[in-house]
Amino acid sequence: MNSPIRLAAANAVDAEALSAAGSRLFAQAYGKHSRADDLAVHLEQYFGQDYVARELQAPGVSYTIAYEADQIAGFVKIRHGPAPDAVPAAEAIEIQQLYVDAGRLRRGIGRMLMDNAVAAARDEGYTGIWLSVWQDADWATGFYEAYGFRRIGTAEFRLGRSTFMDYLMWLALDENS
Ligand SMILES: CC(C)(COP(=O)(O)OP(=O)(O)OC[C@H]1O[C@@H](n2cnc3c(N)ncnc32)[C@H](O)[C@@H]1OP(=O)(O)O)[C@@H](O)C(=O)NCCC(=O)NCCS
């Protein structure tokens, strides 16, 4: 039976657990679409424990974890800062990582994590949120479009030595943006 989902801001003590969960959840979603050597490089670069520990201390970065009982069911990482030219705001919040465990999809966990990021962006006066998502990840583009994001451009995404094409997407948080 499913247990209630609880959200919590991550801090330095969560580095090891977040690194393990991030590696597992990324591999679940993208492992079958990537070369094994590219995947290994990417996991070390963006989900390695040293990297996660540094990011947890970095200004403008925050992770929020969704727990089911004591297990990580998903997490979101947001970054405040400069945005690419296609984004209709000079400064915005980026959803840099959003992952839900493959065994827990379509239970509203992604929406809860996104709601949390939207609340943070509104609190801090940002006019919108942007992100980059692989063009073939129809599960993710479907989720973002259902949430209200729209496509505003394209970008290259490096995974190890391979290059994939992403959509840049934008969610306006006020009617003028
Ligand atoms: C994208 C992701 C975060 C969505 O998380 P989730 O918890 O399953 O999403 P939710 O249950 O909150 O879904 C909310 C709504 O989004 C839409 N949606 C979710 N998954 C979808 C899918 N596979 N296809 C189309 N629409 C989808 C639906 O409208 C859904 O509402 P419904 O279930 O009532 O129909 C999740 O699929 C995931 O982590 N995927 C693997 C990692 C990934 O690709 N992350 C994005 C990287 S950019």
Side-chain angles (χ1 to χ4, degrees), residues 83-84 87-92 127-128 170:
V87 172
E91 292 274 324
T127 57
W170 170 251

PDB file of all heavy atoms in Angstrom, residues 83-84 87-92 127-128 170:
ATOM      1  N   ALA A  83      19.620  33.103 -17.141  1.00  0.00           N
ATOM      2  CA  ALA A  83      18.916  32.139 -17.994  1.00  0.00           C
ATOM      3  C   ALA A  83      19.375  32.310 -19.440  1.00  0.00           C
ATOM      4  O   ALA A  83      19.871  33.377 -19.810  1.00  0.00           O
ATOM      5  CB  ALA A  83      17.416  32.388 -17.879  1.00  0.00           C
ATOM      6  N   PRO A  84      19.217  31.286 -20.286  1.00  0.00           N
ATOM      7  CA  PRO A  84      19.571  31.429 -21.709  1.00  0.00           C
ATOM      8  C   PRO A  84      18.717  32.496 -22.400  1.00  0.00           C
ATOM      9  O   PRO A  84      17.641  32.847 -21.905  1.00  0.00           O
ATOM     10  CB  PRO A  84      19.267  30.049 -22.307  1.00  0.00           C
ATOM     11  CG  PRO A  84      18.865  29.167 -21.207  1.00  0.00           C
ATOM     12  CD  PRO A  84      18.680  29.958 -19.967  1.00  0.00           C
ATOM     13  N   VAL A  87      14.877  32.446 -22.880  1.00  0.00           N
ATOM     14  CA  VAL A  87      13.989  32.570 -21.714  1.00  0.00           C
ATOM     15  C   VAL A  87      13.543  34.023 -21.561  1.00  0.00           C
ATOM     16  O   VAL A  87      14.375  34.924 -21.599  1.00  0.00           O
ATOM     17  CB  VAL A  87      14.740  32.085 -20.438  1.00  0.00           C
ATOM     18  CG1 VAL A  87      13.942  32.377 -19.185  1.00  0.00           C
ATOM     19  CG2 VAL A  87      15.051  30.593 -20.551  1.00  0.00           C
ATOM     20  N   PRO A  88      12.234  34.254 -21.409  1.00  0.00           N
ATOM     21  CA  PRO A  88      11.747  35.640 -21.385  1.00  0.00           C
ATOM     22  C   PRO A  88      11.945  36.348 -20.039  1.00  0.00           C
ATOM     23  O   PRO A  88      11.102  37.104 -19.607  1.00  0.00           O
ATOM     24  CB  PRO A  88      10.259  35.499 -21.729  1.00  0.00           C
ATOM     25  CG  PRO A  88       9.902  34.114 -21.415  1.00  0.00           C
ATOM     26  CD  PRO A  88      11.146  33.281 -21.464  1.00  0.00           C
ATOM     27  N   ALA A  89      13.076  36.111 -19.392  1.00  0.00           N
ATOM     28  CA  ALA A  89      13.422  36.829 -18.156  1.00  0.00           C
ATOM     29  C   ALA A  89      14.924  36.696 -17.990  1.00  0.00           C
ATOM     30  O   ALA A  89      15.484  35.633 -18.272  1.00  0.00           O
ATOM     31  CB  ALA A  89      12.717  36.208 -16.947  1.00  0.00           C
ATOM     32  N   ALA A  90      15.578  37.763 -17.548  1.00  0.00           N
ATOM     33  CA  ALA A  90      17.034  37.710 -17.416  1.00  0.00           C
ATOM     34  C   ALA A  90      17.426  36.792 -16.263  1.00  0.00           C
ATOM     35  O   ALA A  90      18.424  36.082 -16.325  1.00  0.00           O
ATOM     36  CB  ALA A  90      17.588  39.112 -17.202  1.00  0.00           C
ATOM     37  N   GLU A  91      16.639  36.826 -15.219  1.00  0.00           N
ATOM     38  CA  GLU A  91      16.905  35.993 -14.046  1.00  0.00           C
ATOM     39  C   GLU A  91      15.681  35.120 -13.812  1.00  0.00           C
ATOM     40  O   GLU A  91      14.550  35.630 -13.826  1.00  0.00           O
ATOM     41  CB  GLU A  91      17.115  36.862 -12.808  1.00  0.00           C
ATOM     42  CG  GLU A  91      18.375  37.690 -12.834  1.00  0.00           C
ATOM     43  CD  GLU A  91      19.584  36.925 -12.310  1.00  0.00           C
ATOM     44  OE1 GLU A  91      19.413  36.135 -11.371  1.00  0.00           O
ATOM     45  OE2 GLU A  91      20.691  37.114 -12.857  1.00  0.00           O
ATOM     46  N   ALA A  92      15.895  33.856 -13.613  1.00  0.00           N
ATOM     47  CA  ALA A  92      14.740  32.975 -13.397  1.00  0.00           C
ATOM     48  C   ALA A  92      15.205  31.757 -12.619  1.00  0.00           C
ATOM     49  O   ALA A  92      16.397  31.557 -12.407  1.00  0.00           O
ATOM     50  CB  ALA A  92      14.140  32.549 -14.736  1.00  0.00           C
ATOM     51  N   THR A 127       9.474  35.763 -12.203  1.00  0.00           N
ATOM     52  CA  THR A 127       8.320  35.810 -13.103  1.00  0.00           C
ATOM     53  C   THR A 127       8.080  34.466 -13.799  1.00  0.00           C
ATOM     54  O   THR A 127       7.081  34.306 -14.496  1.00  0.00           O
ATOM     55  CB  THR A 127       8.487  36.889 -14.178  1.00  0.00           C
ATOM     56  OG1 THR A 127       9.705  36.626 -14.888  1.00  0.00           O
ATOM     57  CG2 THR A 127       8.546  38.275 -13.553  1.00  0.00           C
ATOM     58  N   GLY A 128       9.005  33.533 -13.626  1.00  0.00           N
ATOM     59  CA  GLY A 128       8.784  32.240 -14.276  1.00  0.00           C
ATOM     60  C   GLY A 128       9.879  31.247 -13.967  1.00  0.00           C
ATOM     61  O   GLY A 128      10.839  31.548 -13.248  1.00  0.00           O
ATOM     62  N   TRP A 170       9.251  26.953 -20.655  1.00  0.00           N
ATOM     63  CA  TRP A 170       9.048  28.101 -19.768  1.00  0.00           C
ATOM     64  C   TRP A 170       7.651  28.043 -19.170  1.00  0.00           C
ATOM     65  O   TRP A 170       6.673  27.775 -19.882  1.00  0.00           O
ATOM     66  CB  TRP A 170       9.208  29.378 -20.582  1.00  0.00           C
ATOM     67  CG  TRP A 170       8.825  30.674 -19.931  1.00  0.00           C
ATOM     68  CD1 TRP A 170       7.735  31.442 -20.251  1.00  0.00           C
ATOM     69  CD2 TRP A 170       9.519  31.391 -18.908  1.00  0.00           C
ATOM     70  NE1 TRP A 170       7.728  32.592 -19.484  1.00  0.00           N
ATOM     71  CE2 TRP A 170       8.813  32.574 -18.643  1.00  0.00           C
ATOM     72  CE3 TRP A 170      10.685  31.127 -18.172  1.00  0.00           C
ATOM     73  CZ2 TRP A 170       9.210  33.497 -17.690  1.00  0.00           C
ATOM     74  CZ3 TRP A 170      11.088  32.060 -17.228  1.00  0.00           C
ATOM     75  CH2 TRP A 170      10.359  33.227 -16.994  1.00  0.00           C
TER      76      TRP A 170
END
